[in-house]
């Protein structure tokens, strides 16, 4: 294996010169007896103690991956089923990232892994059952994010962006201390956008690589706790460590488009997701309530044939003119507000807040990541090994209805 030098304390070791586009095949459920049907070593029963270290969605929320103390597993969301797993005696994985539904994964070992340490990223081809590249660093890897054209590795104070085809370093980004590994990417082919913490508290740095433009956004007064981008990277949603407000920004000019309130008491925001049609936003926190908000943001003059990079997201107010009303779905309800909201500017900001449109309650002791399923449904994956699917009324909102519950891993352990 040839080792190439990489600046600032990282090394890159591709097992071949480039990663061929042919490597990105779609990974379907393995057939019984298939050589890829699950285990590189003998299966380990769920009756044994298996700790859950990590849970993450793939880019379109159709699957999620888990890192366990025994290896990693991948689950399909609709219909729910385990797609494949690999159990290793050498130890488990603290980070497992999928690339849509293909056979390529990024793996980072858990601290107890004797073969793959937590300062090394393994690019794994599950069809070939082998490592096709690796990155080594002097400090622990906090997160890995994948696009079809790049690999992003997040350390506590620095982010590296590599070309997927030849693993060459493209960009280095300095950040404020980032122990959560906060970073998100756009996934549309014609836009390449990365958002991450800036160098100051509460600041977001947005890199529009295709436009060769950097935008710094003062999102919050407190440290950033969670952030996400739309698939085209034009909209950014953020929350701070206070966990009371979620804000939506235009990533081109940095303007704030909308602000919604989760609550008044401090909370740890676990996840934020935007629906594909940018009509809804869902937030999960350690308080055990999943909140869905109605968005008033649309892409003005959107044209499928237009270049997404030049379209600007705009806030459409509730009292918008008739010419703008056509851009707002008539089936979409508005977020409730205080009955005293007409006194905005006189009373504290709390009274003019937009509250959640729909809610779903889960056990408070568990962390959940939430995302959008099909037909007005929310899906959640919890650190207790549980999967929920619930539906919300897009007109009236209110309490959501549970449609499915699965215990995919029998464990009482929670991730680091």
């Amino acid at each position: 294996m040839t080792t190439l030098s990489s600046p600032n304390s990282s090394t890159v070791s591709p097992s071949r010169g480039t990663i061929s586009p042919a490597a990105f095949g779609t990974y379907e459920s393995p057939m019984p007896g298939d050589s890829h049907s699950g285990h590189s070593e003998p299966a380990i029963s769920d009756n044994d103690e298996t700790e859950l270290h990590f849970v993450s969605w793939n880019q379109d929320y159709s699957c999620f991956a888990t890192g366990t103390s025994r290896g990693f597993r991948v689950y399909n969301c609709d219909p729910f089923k385990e797609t494949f797993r690999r159990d290793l005696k050498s130890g488990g994985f603290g980070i497992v990232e999928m690339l849509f539904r293909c056979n390529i994964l990024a793996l980072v070992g858990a601290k107890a892994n004797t073969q793959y340490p937590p300062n090394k990223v393994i690019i794994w081809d599950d069809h070939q059952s082998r490592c096709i590249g690796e990155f080594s660093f002097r400090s622990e890897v906090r997160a890995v994010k994948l696009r079809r054209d790049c690999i992003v590795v997040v350390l506590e104070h620095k982010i590296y962006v590599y070309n997927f085809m030849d693993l060459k370093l493209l960009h280095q980004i300095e950040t404020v201390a980032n122990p959560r590994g906060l970073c998100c990417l756009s996934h549309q082919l014609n836009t390449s956008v990365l958002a991450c913490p800036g160098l100051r508290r509460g600041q977001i740095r947005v890199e529009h690589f295709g436009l060769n433009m950097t935008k710094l956004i003062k999102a919050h007064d407190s440290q950033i706790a969670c952030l996400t981008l739309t698939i085209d990277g034009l909209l950014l949603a953020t929350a701070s460590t206070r966990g009371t407000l979620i804000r939506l920004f235009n990533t081109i000019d940095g303007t704030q488009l909308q602000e919604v309130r989760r609550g008044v008491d401090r909370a740890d925001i676990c996840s934020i997701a935007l629906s594909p049609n940018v009509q809804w936003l869902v937030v999960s926190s350690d308080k055990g309530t999943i909140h869905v908000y109605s968005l008033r943001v649309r892409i003005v003059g959107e044209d499928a044939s237009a270049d997404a990079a030049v379209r600007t997201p705009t806030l459409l107010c509730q009292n918008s003119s008739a010419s703008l009303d056509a851009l707002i779905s008539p089936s979409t309800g508005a977020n409730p507000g205080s009955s005293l909201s007409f006194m905005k500017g006189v009373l504290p900001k709390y009274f003019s807040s937009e509250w959640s449109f729909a809610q779903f309650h889960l056990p408070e002791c568990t962390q959940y990541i939430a995302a959008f399923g099909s037909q007005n449904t929310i899906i959640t994956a919890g650190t207790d090994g549980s999967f929920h699917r619930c539906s919300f009324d897009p007109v009236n909102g209110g309490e959501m209805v549970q449609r499915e519950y699965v215990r995919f891993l029998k464990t009482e352990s929670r991730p680091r």
Side-chain angles (χ1 to χ4, degrees):
M1 182 179 289
T2 305
T3 300
L4 306 175
S5 297
S6 184
N8 225 19
S9 76
S10 68
T11 59
V12 183
S13 304
S15 57
R16 60 175 183 266
T18 60
I19 299 177
S20 166
F24 301 101
T26 301
Y27 200 100
E28 301 296 345
S29 302
M31 298 297 291
D34 191 342
S35 60
H36 301 288
S37 59
H39 310 286
S40 56
E41 300 187 35
I44 301 172
S45 169
D46 272 352
N47 294 328
D48 298 327
E49 179 64 22
T50 302
E51 296 181 6
L52 186 58
H53 294 317
F54 182 86
V55 183
S56 72
W57 305 110
N58 71 342
Q59 291 80 357
D60 60 8
Y61 308 129
S62 62
C63 299
F64 67 93
T66 64
T68 75
S69 57
R70 304 300 177 97
F72 65 88
R73 307 179 188 187
V74 172
Y75 299 87
N76 187 73
C77 293
D78 191 12
F80 185 88
K81 62 180 176 180
E82 182 180 299
T83 304
F84 70 98
R85 71 166 71 180
R86 289 198 175 275
D87 289 332
L88 308 172
K89 290 181 179 177
S90 60
F93 292 98
I95 297 173
V96 183
E97 288 290 338
M98 300 180 67
L99 181 62
F100 289 92
R101 300 181 65 88
C102 80
N103 50 293
I104 305 295
L105 299 99
L107 307 172
V108 177
K111 291 181 179 178
N113 194 315
T114 58
Q115 187 175 359
Y116 303 115
N119 66 324
K120 181 180 288 189
V121 178
I122 303 299
I123 306 302
W124 178 264
D125 184 336
D126 202 71
H127 275 336
Q128 300 184 53
S129 298
R130 71 183 186 95
C131 168
I132 57 175
E134 64 182 53
F135 305 85
S136 294
F137 303 89
R138 291 180 186 168
S139 60
E140 184 176 334
V141 175
R142 299 297 185 178
V144 183
K145 302 296 178 182
L146 301 178
R147 269 178 56 106
R148 290 187 174 95
D149 57 359
C150 71
I151 301 166
V152 177
V153 180
V154 184
L155 308 183
E156 184 153 353
H157 292 276
K158 185 164 283 192
I159 294 176
Y160 295 95
V161 182
Y162 297 92
N163 183 26
F164 216 137
M165 298 302 292
D166 56 15
L167 305 185
K168 289 183 178 178
L169 182 66
L170 299 175
H171 308 280
Q172 297 182 60
I173 301 170
E174 301 275 353
T175 71
V176 70
N178 185 17
R180 297 174 183 242
L182 300 178
C183 182
C184 55
L185 303 173
S186 66
H187 295 290
Q188 208 169 62
L189 288 176
N190 62 344
T191 59
S192 182
V193 184
L194 178 150
C196 64
L199 288 172
R200 296 182 179 180
R201 183 178 66 182
Q203 183 185 71
I204 302 290
R205 175 172 176 162
V206 180
E207 292 288 345
H208 291 268
F209 293 123
L211 300 177
N212 195 25
M213 180 182 79
T214 300
K215 189 68 188 177
L216 298 177
I217 299 173
K218 178 61 176 176
H220 299 272
D221 293 328
S222 305
Q223 295 280 10
I224 304 300
C226 197
L227 71 167
T228 191
L229 287 167
T230 48
I231 190 171
D232 59 9
L234 295 182
L235 297 175
L236 168 74
T238 67
S240 76
T241 50
R242 288 185 58 83
T244 54
L245 298 171
I246 296 89
R247 291 172 176 152
L248 197 68
F249 297 91
N250 175 343
T251 64
I252 298 292
D253 61 16
T255 55
Q256 181 177 314
L257 302 177
Q258 191 172 355
E259 176 184 273
V260 296
R261 181 174 288 276
R262 183 212 56 82
V264 293
D265 54 338
R266 185 180 290 269
D268 186 11
I269 302 296
C270 305
S271 70
I272 305 174
L274 293 156
S275 64
N277 62 3
V278 200
Q279 194 171 343
W280 307 101
L281 179 147
V282 63
V283 175
S284 65
S285 74
D286 62 349
K287 297 298 183 181
T289 303
I290 307 297
H291 295 275
V292 174
Y293 302 86
S294 175
L295 297 182
R296 293 181 283 118
V297 174
R298 296 295 179 270
I299 304 298
V300 173
E302 182 171 0
D303 186 336
S305 64
D307 184 358
V310 300
R311 290 186 272 125
T312 304
T314 302
L315 175 64
L316 302 183
C317 298
Q318 298 296 332
N319 59 351
S320 56
S321 66
S323 62
L324 296 180
D325 284 340
L327 296 174
I328 303 179
S329 171
S331 63
T332 303
N335 297 318
S338 167
S339 60
L340 300 177
S341 60
F342 68 93
M343 298 183 69
K344 182 178 181 180
V346 179
L347 294 174
K349 194 174 183 180
Y350 167 86
F351 291 100
S352 60
S353 295
E354 292 184 52
W355 295 80
S356 59
F357 177 77
Q359 309 81 33
F360 185 65
H361 297 277
L362 291 164
E364 198 169 319
C365 59
T366 298
Q367 292 184 336
Y368 300 89
I369 55 172
F372 288 90
S374 59
Q375 299 178 340
N376 301 317
T377 61
I378 300 296
I379 51 177
T380 71
T383 57
D384 61 348
S386 67
F387 174 86
H388 291 83
R389 187 190 313 277
C390 55
S391 61
F392 64 94
D393 184 331
V395 176
N396 300 310
E399 191 66 23
M400 291 186 264
V401 178
Q402 180 170 297
R403 301 298 183 188
E404 185 176 11
Y405 167 77
V406 178
R407 193 64 180 263
F408 62 84
L409 187 66
K410 298 178 178 65
T411 176
E412 298 302 320
S413 302
R414 291 191 284 273
R416 56 179 175 82

